[in-house]
Amino acid sequence: MAFLEESDEDQVEPFAAARCLENMSHYLLQLEGVDRQEFIELLEEMASEEESESQAKRLRELPFVIGMIEKR
């Protein structure tokens, strides 16, 4: 998802990138219960291991951005 968000028009056609991001978000929103919680925990684990603060922040914000968790 980060690659698609950060890619420019020379790397990925913008409409295709947006469509792919929408599809991924839709799939993630279908997760329920334990699966949803495990995904959120995985994002936190990945964020804590990330060297880039901006990338760590993006990982932590993903569930809020796609509507998986309501804004704090």
Side-chain angles (χ1 to χ4, degrees):
M1 292 180 94
F3 169 77
L4 292 171
E5 285 183 2
E6 296 173 2
S7 63
D8 60 32
E9 292 179 9
D10 295 335
Q11 294 173 305
V12 179
E13 197 276 323
F15 180 77
R19 181 66 185 214
C20 188
L21 287 168
E22 289 171 4
N23 288 338
M24 284 189 274
S25 295
H26 175 76
Y27 173 78
L28 291 171
L29 289 172
Q30 302 307 307
L31 295 176
E32 295 181 353
V34 174
D35 292 330
R36 182 177 282 219
Q37 188 59 40
E38 285 180 357
F39 176 72
I40 293 167
E41 290 171 5
L42 176 62
L43 289 174
E44 179 57 39
E45 182 180 329
M46 292 170 58
S48 67
E49 296 174 2
E50 182 60 52
E51 292 180 17
S52 165
E53 282 300 317
S54 63
Q55 186 63 17
K57 182 180 177 186
R58 179 173 286 155
L59 288 166
R60 286 184 176 105
E61 291 178 346
L62 178 65
F64 299 98
V65 170
I66 66 171
M68 183 177 271
I69 299 175
E70 292 197 25
K71 300 238 182 217
R72 303 173 202 169

